[in-house]
Amino acid sequence: MTQQTITLIGGGLVGALLAQLLAKRGFAVKVFEKRPDPRREGFVGGRSINLALAERGLQALRTAGLADDVLQRAVMMRGRMVHPLQGVSGLQRYGVDDSEVIWSVSRGGLNMLLLDAAEAAGVTFHFGQGLAAADLDTQRITLVDETGTQRQHEAAVLVGADGAGSALRAAMNDYMPLGQRVEPLGHGYKELEIPPATGASHFAVEPHALHIWPRGGYMCIALPNTEGSFTVTLFLPAHGPHPSFDTLPDAAAASEFFRQDFSDLLPLIPNFAEDYDQHPVGSLSTLYLDRWHIDGRALLIGDAAHAIVPFHGQGMNCGFEDTVVLANLLAEAGRDTANAFSEFQRIRKPNADAIAAMALENYIEMRDSVADPRYLAKRELGARLAERAPHYFMARYRMVTFTHLPYAYAYDRGRAQDVLLDQLLRDSSDVENVPLDAAVSALRATLPPLPPLR
Ligand code: FAD
């Protein structure tokens, strides 16, 4: 039987990983990527220079045989280092030990590693070829290069991994409405850099942490890079009263704001003015679709299907989880791609919706609650319950970040646990006043045990 061909649009993080997994399962895979080959022309960044890789993403990389290679180029982050406006910075560990950590990886480095692996598995890449149009009746696509030259290509089975602004999604939506809804967050982001330090440690602040400067309605975060620098991201309302990107249009205005609100961070960013004036303000939205596919002809995956805000550090992780599910379904389905695509949507969409909601909630948690006494009390009581009754209580962050429990399960379970914590802390926000034996009994009486972890 001839090899079935799958045409992927987009060779970013999700497209490159999916391409390798499909090639390893016997498909002929062609990838059309708008940008030039980053391994030859350098990575055209544009968005977050580094990302947090967590268990779900790692598991997909294990499936691809790439986890060790990626981890060798990653910086371990053991927890959140919270830098309050006043007072002392402190590390809130993610897990009890180093088995529960997340990893800071370079977006460009990871993309290039995935491209190498996909090519080694037999994938054909066509760089500098952006999708301009897709005719789903004739099953032909039109590609355009940087000179504007167009060419046509046959594509009976199309998968769009072309990111939040997906051109394939637009073509599919024109052909048959997908029920698209884009909800802007109303907050934007700007990247700044803490360069490597000159002392014995190459790092100006603790390297093994995700740093957060929570300030209520806005925040800065910083993730380490292997060579000692940190990528800092300022998240701020896009418009409206001070502080917003409207009221802080340039470095002159922003440095005064940083002197007031991020006084310990500003001295670590020597090129503040340059960074602030040169780096664009990125926008953040959540994308919801009712349908991710058009029978067996075209499917969306990763950000193209479900772009989310970045506050749970799960967009790529979720997209990587998608790739394994889809590759397995396609391998099982043989030529019945329509069935594989509809199964993919059935399995993944509730999970994408759940992580979209949790990512939005996490913005409030990160910028505000990590410094809030009631949040800290709930967190502490949750930790005590998890220690006493590990089969009944697990923090939602932990379910999302360190397990493979479906996102939708983590969302529902997290909500139920939260209701219980609120009840237990109804009369007092002091954890010491909560009788732990009674709390454990209430937990066991209210919730079923957690499912076994793989
Ligand atoms: P993309 O990475 O956007 O890749 C799409 C690819 O398609 C690109 O290579 C693009 O050039 C190509 N393309 C676009 N249009 C066309 C076209 N017309 N034709 C051909 N090719 C095309 N996720 C995490 O898991 N952890 C994090 O810590 C994290 N931090 C983030 C921080 C920020 C500020 C942002 C904005 C996002 C963050 N994310 C994070 C989310 C993560 O970046 C995305 O979920 C991930 O990049 C999605 O991968 P993708 O391959 O689906 O899309």
Side-chain angles (χ1 to χ4, degrees), residues 148-271:
T149 309
Q150 292 199 347
R151 69 182 180 111
Q152 299 249 313
H153 189 85
E154 216 172 275
V157 181
L158 268 169
V159 177
D162 48 347
S166 171
L168 181 59
R169 188 176 72 236
M172 288 165 66
N173 198 43
D174 285 346
Y175 184 78
M176 184 185 288
L178 303 175
Q180 175 171 316
R181 193 156 53 88
V182 177
E183 282 187 3
L185 179 67
H187 287 222
Y189 70 96
K190 190 184 275 280
E191 282 159 357
L192 309 163
E193 196 202 28
I194 301 176
T198 43
S201 161
H202 298 307
F203 296 90
V205 285
E206 166 59 44
H208 295 296
L210 189 157
H211 294 263
I212 309 181
W213 288 261
R215 296 295 182 263
Y218 49 93
M219 67 174 179
C220 281
I221 65 166
L223 272 70
N225 297 306
T226 44
E227 90 294 353
S229 66
F230 288 80
T231 305
V232 177
T233 312
L234 163 68
F235 294 97
L236 199 63
H239 309 291
H242 184 73
S244 71
F245 281 113
D246 273 354
T247 68
L248 300 169
D250 53 31
S255 36
E256 185 46 38
F257 166 65
F258 265 68
R259 253 191 295 281
Q260 301 267 336
D261 277 59
F262 301 104
S263 59
D264 55 336
L265 175 58
L266 183 60
L268 304 174
I269 310 174
N271 297 328

Side-chain angles (χ1 to χ4, degrees), residues 14 17 301-303 306 314-324 348 407:
V14 170
L17 180 58
I301 190 169
D303 274 19
H306 49 70
Q314 285 290 319
M316 166 191 65
N317 286 285
C318 177
F320 279 6
E321 211 175 40
D322 281 354
T323 64
V324 179
R348 293 302 292 165
Y407 287 122

Side-chain angles (χ1 to χ4, degrees), residues 276-308:
Y276 198 92
D277 284 339
Q278 282 173 12
H279 296 175
V281 176
S283 64
L284 300 166
S285 301
T286 306
L287 163 73
Y288 303 93
L289 296 176
D290 292 339
R291 313 162 43 80
W292 288 359
H293 70 108
I294 291 179
D295 48 56
R297 285 175 283 173
L299 170 81
L300 301 167
I301 190 169
D303 274 19
H306 49 70
I308 60 177

